[in-house]
Each structure stands twice: as structure tokens, then as C-alpha cells.
Amino acid sequence: MGEIRQSITLRDTAEMPGALRGASSRTVWARAARHLARSTSGKIGLLLVALVLLMALAAPLIAPHDPYEQTVFRLYGPSLYFPFGTDEFGRDVMSRVIYGARISLQVGLIAVAIALVIGGLLGLVAGYFGGWVDSVISRVLDIVFAFPDILLALALLAVLGPELHNVMIAIGIVYMPSFARIVRGPVLSAKHNEYVEASRVIGAGTLRTLFRHILPNVTAPLIVQTTIALSFAILSEAALSFLGLGAQPPTPSWGAMLSGGRRFVEIAPWTAIFPGLAIMIAVLGFNLLGDWLRDVLDPRAVR
Amino acid sequence: MLRYVLRRLVSLIPVLLGISMVTFALIRLIPGDVVDLILGNEVAMGGERAAELRRLFGLDQPIYVQYLQWASDVVRGDLGHSLRTGKPVLGEILGRLPTTIELTLFSLVFALLIAIPMGIIAALKAGTRTEAGVQVLGLLGLSVPNFWLGTLLILLTSRYLGWFPAANYVPFSVDPWRNIQIFILPGIALGAALAAITLRMTRSSLLEVLNREYVTTARAKGVAERQVIVRHALKNAMIPVVTVVGIQVGRLLGGAIIIEQVFNLPGIGRLAIDAIQQRDYTMIQGVVLFTTLAFVLINLAVDLLYAFIDPRIRYS
């Protein structure tokens, strides 16, 4: 979280020369805490994300069974031994849902990291260099943006093959333009600021100017966008796995579980209800967290 | 207005060119080529038949010649033939189009019917439990995966209510009433997210407008509250709602791909998924190109409509 503090302090010092770095960073955290105390949805978001993180990190400790172990108890209803019932192979649905958090978070984090790094760099370069570089990058991103997102992911998976690591690449490409756009605008306006020119006069190289002086201006919106993109990425992975193009059996992915459970939904509703509930909790959690972060980090943003 | 329309049309050209290049490149990215797929693995790559087929498809030409050939076919409405059935791709797509359009329309109507009244109620009852309840519903609608909602709706109606057993698809021309019944649940599942977005937008937009001075003026001069809301506030509050709905209409197309799978509807989404499973690359290419063009044109139409409603857009 060091970057958040830095971005706010940099912005603050730019606006109020002479302000103490330590003092202004304390107010950010104070504001965050104050805001969290008032914001019910922020608290719920934090709680839901914590729940998903806990499931992913502590899966072997909290899962009652092996998520891959098949038993003779096929399509058994929820009981003390199988709290969420069993699926068509007699596997424990609860353990699979818990392990599913790992798949969702892993795919979500890597996909968003791809979008953030590549999209962010493209936006940075486009905004900083301007001219034809900007035109070329912006045109290319417009084209990626022109495809309906799920369709673009489908097409990429059709070519790359239905595997989980390809899902990460596909989702990463789909969300790349939105990160590039967020970075490009502020960079375009920040590069004419006096402190940027000053650093160049002192003799700072392009890279140093970009990363030390310009990038901190966009960290706040980037953090908000990353959180919200995580919820979209988790939802996209579930959708693609649901369509049979993501995680393949027997991987415990929420989307794939839901797709399997759908065939038995009338006799064994629990096989479809619990994985879907997990998707919703994760998506809702990151959404609420993103909204809250936007309020805290970017008070000027219109809601 | 005409200048604006022309400017938008011109700005579309590079995007369309880019889309066509990406879609064309897509099929070249697969390992091997179309001929390998048709002939299968048992035929040696250097076989005479393979060479003949490559000549037939023009695959021995330089890549830009292939692109130009393909692009000129596309412009004349020829999207090629399915690798599996040999039928023209465009014909297959057009055959599936009515189902996807009907699904999209159902979800749009459902979303607007639910969301706008609820958004208005939430804004008028600001600070009450009703508003909080509507807000929670909006958040849930945003986060519920549509394929899960669809599955739950099937479960609820078939298992607990005994309604519409998940039957086979019936075209509108055969039995309109059955056909409409079939689209109700998918329409709700697909429309839920749009309803949530519209609801939130209607509420916040109306709340903002209700604080404007002209609303206060209208109240001060003694206009009945009902009139104030309907004539003065609502009319202006709807402008941002129209934009948001417009942006989302194109996105319904993408959502339809998933919902068609959940409800076994023979639309374009099902065509795409089947094509991917059968590695029917010309079909995939055709569906991607067709749907993306539709998406871009819908967005353009919405922009133009919006510029027509709100003249400020044209001059910015």
C-alpha cells in the first residue's frame, strides 16, 4: 500500500507547497478509517473479500474433505458430513467451493496483472510521448475495445485452446484498454506540470521522470480500477469456465462446477446453488471494496 | 447534425478496418491451417491433396493478397463456408439472429419496466427503508452472475412452481404464445444486470435533478408535486439514463451468448459455442465479425440518437 500513500502525498505537496509528507499521509489513513466506520457497504465489501481470501489461503486447513476425492455418496443432500452436499461424482461440494476460491483469485489476479502492466505501460507511453505514438496506441486499443468483451475472450480461447492459463491471457487482453485509458489522460496533463519540467531540467532521464514523477499521479485511480477489474475478471473466468472454455474437469472452478451442477439442478440443487453463491460473494465483495476505495482515494470523483 | 453524423461515420472507418484485420488474423493464429483441419492428421502435410486444397483456398498467396481477397468477399456478404457442414456462414448466422434479437428485446423490456419505476421510488423515498431495500436489490443485481440467476430461475419454476418445463425451442411463427413463454425466464436472467444499472442511474439522476433550482421554482410557484416530478424533474433526469441504457444494449449481445447456453436457445451465442467446440474456424470468424459489427453499429446508433436528443453533444 506504499504507493497509495505516495500518490496522495505527491498530489498534496504539489497542491500545497510546504506540506509535510508524514502529516498528509496520516490524514489519508485517518480519512480511510473514518470513512470505513461510516460506510456499511465498505465494511461488507472488506468482509466478503476477506472471506474469499481466507478460503483461498487456508483451503487445506478449512476444507472438510479432499476436493478431488470421489465417494460412493453421489448427489447426497447437505448433511453434517457434507455441509453443501455432494456432486455427481460423490465429491464434497463445500471443499470444492473452498478450493475454487484459489482458482478464481489466481485467474483474477494474473489476468488483472496482465491488463494493468501492459495496459498501464501502453497508456503511459501514449500519454507521455504523444504525437503519432499516441495515435497508433489509441487506435489499436480502440479496436480491442470495439469487440464485445465476452466475445473477444471466446474468440481468443477458440484460437489459444480452452485452458486456464489462456483464460488469464484472454481476460487480460480484454481489460487492457480500460487501464491504458485511465493512465493516458492524467499522464497527458501531468507532463506539463512544473515539477515534471523541473526534474527534467535537473537531468532526470525519461524512465525516471515517468516512474518517479508522473506515474504516482495515477496510482489512486489505478488502485480503484484494479479492484473493480478483479470483480469483472472473476465473473469472466466463471462465465468462460461455465461455457466449458476455461477450467477443465476435475479442476474445482466455480463456473465449471455450476456448469456441471446445472444438469442435476432439479434433483440436486445444492450442486448449482453453492458455487454460484461463491461467485456472487466474490464479485460483490470486490465491487463494494472498489466503490469504497474510490470514495477514500479519489474524493473528487463523481459518484 | 449532418456534420456530426458524417464525422462519426468517418471515425468508424479505421475501427472497422482494424476489426476486420483482427478477425482475419484470428484464423491464422491456430496451429496449422484450415487444410490441416479439413484433412485431419493422417494426411501428410506435403500431400498432393493438401497442396491442391491450399491452392483452391488461395493459401499459397502472400498474406496481404489473402486478406484483400477475404475482405472483398466479406464486403459482398460472403463470410465463407462452415468447415463442418459446408453451409454458408452468413446464412447460418441470419437463421439464428431472430432468436438472439428476441432475447435481447425481452431483457431490455424487462429491465426498463422494473428499473425505472423502482429508481423513481427510491429517489422519492430517499432516506427511508424502501430506498435502502431498492439499493440492496440494485447491488445484488449487479453482482449476480446471469448464468447462475438463469439456473436458479429454472430451478425455482420447474421444481417448486411446476411452470414451463424446460422444453424444446418453438419458433414464434409456429406458436407465438409458447415462444413468448420460452423467452420470459431468459429475458429476466439477461436483463437483471441492466435493470440494476438503470435503477441506480435513475435514482441518482433524479435525486440530483430534484435539487435543481428550476424544481424549487416550480414548487414555489405552486405546481402540484406530481406535476413537478413528472414534467420538470423526470424529463431531465432521464437523459443520463438513456445514455447508460444505450451503452448497455450492445453489452446485452455478449450476455446473450451465455444465457442462450443456459436455456438451450438456438441463437448466435449457441452457434458460436458449438463452432468453438467443433473447431469450425470459419464459423467462429464469421460470428465474431458479424456480432462485433452489430455491436459497433448499435453503439453508433445510440450515440447519434443521444446527439439528437441532447444538442450539446454535437458541438463538443
Side-chain angles (χ1 to χ4, degrees):
Chain A
M1 296 287 267
E3 302 92 88
I4 313 177
R5 218 180 318 163
Q6 195 184 36
S7 79
I8 305 287
T9 38
L10 263 186
R11 190 198 287 147
D12 285 351
T13 40
E15 283 161 3
M16 322 171 278
L20 285 171
R21 293 194 101 189
S24 53
S25 80
R26 213 180 302 129
T27 49
V28 173
W29 292 111
R31 193 168 73 219
R34 233 185 10 251
H35 211 289
L36 189 62
R38 266 189 291 123
S39 155
T40 320
S41 59
K43 270 184 257 178
I44 295 174
L46 211 56
L47 196 76
L48 295 181
V49 170
L51 178 69
V52 176
L53 276 176
L54 177 77
M55 288 203 291
L57 293 174
L61 301 175
I62 52 178
H65 302 277
D66 177 348
Y68 294 99
E69 191 198 351
Q70 305 190 2
T71 66
V72 291
F73 308 105
R74 294 185 177 172
L75 297 175
Y76 267 49
S79 61
L80 271 181
Y81 193 65
F82 299 116
F84 292 174
T86 62
D87 67 6
E88 72 270 32
F89 296 108
R91 295 174 299 201
D92 177 40
V93 173
M94 186 182 196
S95 306
R96 290 179 69 73
V97 167
I98 291 173
Y99 273 88
R102 292 189 154 189
I103 311 279
S104 273
L105 274 186
Q106 190 193 346
V107 175
L109 286 172
I110 296 177
V112 172
I114 293 173
L116 173 72
V117 171
I118 301 180
L121 279 178
L122 285 174
L124 199 61
V125 169
Y128 187 74
F129 293 103
W132 67 270
V133 180
D134 183 24
S135 315
V136 169
I137 292 178
S138 298
R139 282 299 139 294
V140 170
L141 291 174
D142 278 352
I143 289 159
V144 178
F145 216 67
F147 287 87
D149 43 15
I150 195 85
L151 190 76
L152 181 59
L154 280 181
L156 289 168
L157 286 174
V159 172
L160 298 170
E163 277 165 66
L164 216 45
H165 58 93
N166 291 335
V167 172
M168 301 173 194
I169 298 173
I171 299 176
I173 293 176
V174 168
Y175 292 113
M176 210 169 59
S178 41
F179 281 97
R181 285 183 180 183
I182 284 189
V183 174
R184 183 182 163 273
V187 169
L188 211 57
S189 56
K191 73 175 171 188
H192 298 300
N193 277 341
E194 278 173 19
Y195 63 86
V196 173
E197 277 170 22
S199 87
R200 229 177 288 153
V201 171
I202 296 172
T206 306
L207 279 181
R208 190 180 160 81
T209 310
L210 274 176
F211 284 91
R212 280 299 291 174
H213 301 290
I214 293 188
L215 202 58
N217 284 295
V218 288
T219 22
L222 270 185
I223 288 166
V224 174
Q225 172 70 11
T226 303
T227 318
I228 291 175
L230 263 173
S231 84
F232 280 116
I234 288 173
L235 191 60
S236 304
E237 184 274 323
L240 293 168
S241 294
F242 178 81
L243 293 173
L245 297 170
Q248 298 300 318
T251 312
S253 147
W254 293 334
M257 292 169 70
L258 183 49
S259 158
R262 195 167 62 94
R263 283 174 289 151
F264 310 101
V265 68
E266 279 160 46
I267 49 169
W270 53 88
T271 54
I273 289 176
F274 292 110
L277 201 60
I279 302 171
M280 193 164 131
I281 284 175
V283 172
L284 186 62
F286 281 105
N287 251 328
L288 291 175
L289 193 67
D291 279 355
W292 172 64
L293 283 173
R294 177 180 302 143
D295 292 348
V296 175
L297 295 176
D298 208 358
R300 288 166 305 174
V302 200
R303 261 161 58 86
Chain B
M1 187 71 197
L2 190 67
R3 270 180 72 107
Y4 179 77
V5 174
L6 282 176
R7 208 171 69 213
R8 288 302 318 263
L9 284 176
V10 169
S11 73
L12 209 59
I13 294 171
V15 174
L16 292 181
L17 271 176
I19 290 170
S20 74
M21 283 179 198
V22 171
T23 325
F24 173 78
L26 206 62
I27 205 164
R28 318 277 130 174
L29 286 172
I30 52 172
D33 62 15
V34 173
V35 174
D36 296 332
L37 273 172
I38 295 174
L39 295 179
N41 295 327
E42 65 269 24
V43 178
M45 298 273 270
E48 212 170 278
R49 217 169 115 62
E52 198 188 309
L53 271 174
R54 286 205 173 87
R55 234 188 338 271
L56 190 70
F57 289 139
L59 290 175
D60 53 346
Q61 303 279 333
I63 193 94
Y64 65 91
V65 176
Q66 292 184 36
Y67 169 73
L68 288 177
Q69 182 62 47
W70 175 80
S72 76
D73 284 347
V74 167
V75 169
R76 278 177 279 133
D78 179 7
L79 292 179
H81 296 262
S82 161
L83 291 182
R84 296 295 152 189
T85 60
K87 288 185 195 154
V89 167
L90 187 65
E92 293 281 299
I93 293 174
L94 292 179
R96 303 290 192 102
L97 191 59
T99 308
T100 303
I101 291 180
E102 195 175 348
L103 172 60
T104 311
L105 283 179
F106 260 81
S107 64
L108 186 64
V109 170
F110 163 77
L112 296 184
L113 279 182
I114 292 286
I116 291 180
M118 277 173 85
I120 294 172
I121 291 171
L124 295 183
K125 304 216 169 196
T128 65
R129 284 197 180 178
T130 317
E131 190 207 15
V134 172
Q135 288 279 78
V136 169
L137 257 171
L139 259 177
L140 290 181
L142 270 186
S143 324
V144 64
N146 55 19
F147 45 96
W148 187 52
L149 183 60
T151 311
L152 290 186
L153 286 172
I154 293 175
L155 174 69
L156 188 77
T157 50
S158 64
R159 184 177 158 128
Y160 298 109
L161 300 176
W163 291 350
F164 343 122
N168 291 325
Y169 178 73
V170 183
F172 189 81
S173 51
V174 174
D175 184 349
W177 180 232
R178 264 314 282 139
N179 175 275
I180 287 174
Q181 282 185 329
I182 286 173
F183 278 102
I184 290 175
L185 291 184
I188 294 175
L190 181 57
L194 176 63
I197 294 168
T198 315
L199 169 85
R200 287 158 66 103
M201 197 67 218
T202 308
R203 176 189 155 273
S204 61
S205 173
L206 187 56
L207 271 180
E208 199 199 313
V209 169
L210 283 175
N211 282 326
R212 291 278 174 82
E213 280 168 7
Y214 58 79
V215 172
T216 314
T217 311
R219 279 188 182 138
K221 73 179 183 187
V223 178
E225 187 61 20
R226 217 191 142 76
Q227 283 286 314
V228 172
I229 288 159
V230 175
R231 301 241 342 215
H232 297 258
L234 211 50
K235 230 169 145 185
N236 288 301
M238 279 300 123
I239 294 177
V241 178
V242 171
T243 338
V244 168
V245 171
I247 293 167
Q248 296 297 324
V249 167
R251 311 195 110 237
L252 286 178
L253 272 181
I257 295 177
I258 305 171
I259 291 299
E260 284 170 13
Q261 206 66 10
V262 177
F263 289 92
N264 280 322
L265 296 173
I268 289 179
R270 274 282 296 287
L271 190 66
I273 302 292
D274 290 347
I276 290 172
Q277 274 159 2
Q278 296 169 355
R279 297 166 61 82
D280 187 345
Y281 287 101
T282 44
M283 187 63 85
I284 299 171
Q285 193 180 29
V287 173
V288 170
L289 186 66
F290 187 90
T291 315
T292 306
L293 287 183
F295 183 66
V296 169
L297 292 180
I298 290 173
N299 288 340
L300 174 75
V302 169
D303 275 2
L304 294 183
L305 183 74
Y306 191 51
F308 185 71
I309 299 174
D310 188 350
R312 283 170 299 183
I313 305 277
R314 281 176 245 160
Y315 304 107
S316 59

